[in-house]
Amino acid sequence: MSFTMAAIIFGMAAVTYIPRMLPFVLFKNKELPPFWQGILKNVPYATLGALIFPGIFLFHENIWFSVAGAVAAFLIAFTGANIILTVIGSIGILTILSVFS
Amino acid sequence: METTAVAQSEFKDGFTSGIGIAIGYFPAALTYGLLAKSAELTFLETMSLSIFVFAGAAQYIALSLIALGTGIFEIVLTTFILNIRHFLMSTALNEKAEEEEIWKKAAYAFGVTDETFSVAAMRNRTINSSFMAGLAIVSYLSWVISSGLGYLAGNALPQIVQESMGIALYAMFIGLLVPSLKKSEKAVLLAATAALLNCVFTFSEILSSGWSIILSTLIASLAVEAAVQLKPKGKIE
């Protein structure tokens, strides 16, 4: 491995790990004001919204294939299926779609 | 002995909760391994990135920057900007983390990704190092092993299956989000606001994807919280 590659890997590892680790080490006593606690409780739902859209429309070069996947995943999840079933079901439906199209 | 049993069941719960992530990482890491090979990285370099960095999007982008001959500083800075969102995620996770020794928290912090964060944050209980270890290990193993498989044999998987598997991580996010959407109007409002903002930031190309996710999440969390607190009590729950 070249020095350059080693430096890149080390640098990337450091700047990725530090933001992951700092909050756990810095914020020991959880006595944030209620308003800020409320905001942090909101973060997971907002993050999921941002992680799903618009990425889900773009994962495949054919946007209609992506849209079909999105619809399939939402439909399966809304029936109350668990996560693994939602994942496998969506893959299955897209595979069938691409075989028959 | 009792605490060991609790730790074991928490680990097992984390491991099971992470299986959806492991399935989703398989095609993503397979593609990464394949791309790394075409970017002329050695097997050792390809695996080192997955083992030490463990951050999908950053690894993809690093590959294209390396292929372009970009300098070390720029690659590291791009990675930092892309991954600073994990600071926000770890801060939110820390709120529901049980009190434990700092080194344990610092250890499982390595396993915080968009996906493990989402699973841990949606858990209906507190989180601890045993749960996080199970969750992170199954995800990490899938990521590292699939990277290697992608490098060595990425072309073996039928194209149709590979393409369909691109939906996997999104389907997982949807599977995590939908139960909350059914129960809580506030969750709908939060997810929709952040999704809309992220679409605007992404398509207008005014922000990099890392900043776009951070800002969408922060603005949505803040605005919705302010709206809920200003409204008459009990209106949005």
Side-chain angles (χ1 to χ4, degrees), chain A residues 42-63:
Chain A
N42 290 347
V43 163
Y45 306 102
T47 310
L48 281 170
L51 287 174
I52 297 168
F53 297 103
I56 195 163
F57 296 134
L58 308 171
F59 81 87
H60 193 270
E61 53 201 22
N62 178 352
I63 188 165

Side-chain angles (χ1 to χ4, degrees), chain A residues 29 33 48 51 78-79 81 92 96:
Chain A
N29 30 358
L48 281 170
L51 287 174
F78 264 103
T79 64
I96 293 166

Side-chain angles (χ1 to χ4, degrees), chain A residues 4-91:
Chain A
T4 310
M5 266 313 291
I8 288 173
I9 293 167
F10 178 81
M12 285 180 65
V15 299
T16 304
Y17 178 61
I18 291 167
R20 282 170 170 166
M21 172 270 293
L22 273 185
F24 289 107
V25 176
L26 287 182
F27 310 136
K28 272 173 230 169
N29 30 358
K30 298 160 196 166
E31 278 158 24
L32 281 172
F35 182 74
W36 288 100
Q37 279 183 23
I39 289 174
L40 285 177
K41 281 191 188 128
N42 290 347
V43 163
Y45 306 102
T47 310
L48 281 170
L51 287 174
I52 297 168
F53 297 103
I56 195 163
F57 296 134
L58 308 171
F59 81 87
H60 193 270
E61 53 201 22
N62 178 352
I63 188 165
W64 297 113
F65 190 77
S66 305
V67 170
V71 172
F74 269 105
L75 283 181
I76 297 170
F78 264 103
T79 64
N82 68 20
I83 291 158
I84 296 178
L85 219 63
T86 310
V87 171
I88 294 173
S90 308
I91 295 172

Side-chain angles (χ1 to χ4, degrees), chain B residues 29-97:
Chain B
L30 208 67
T31 314
Y32 159 76
L34 202 64
L35 289 176
K37 196 176 180 187
S38 57
E40 294 180 344
L41 266 69
T42 65
F43 184 70
L44 183 67
E45 292 163 349
T46 305
M47 294 306 280
S48 300
L49 273 170
S50 284
I51 290 168
F52 296 113
V53 181
F54 186 37
Q59 289 178 228
Y60 277 114
I61 291 171
L63 286 183
S64 55
L65 292 180
I66 290 167
L68 288 170
T70 313
I72 300 172
F73 179 75
E74 203 181 333
I75 294 175
V76 173
L77 185 68
T78 308
T79 306
F80 178 69
I81 292 169
L82 195 66
N83 288 340
I84 188 90
R85 68 181 185 283
H86 293 137
F87 185 88
L88 185 63
M89 296 181 189
S90 287
T91 308
L93 268 191
N94 191 39
E95 285 290 305
K96 65 183 298 184

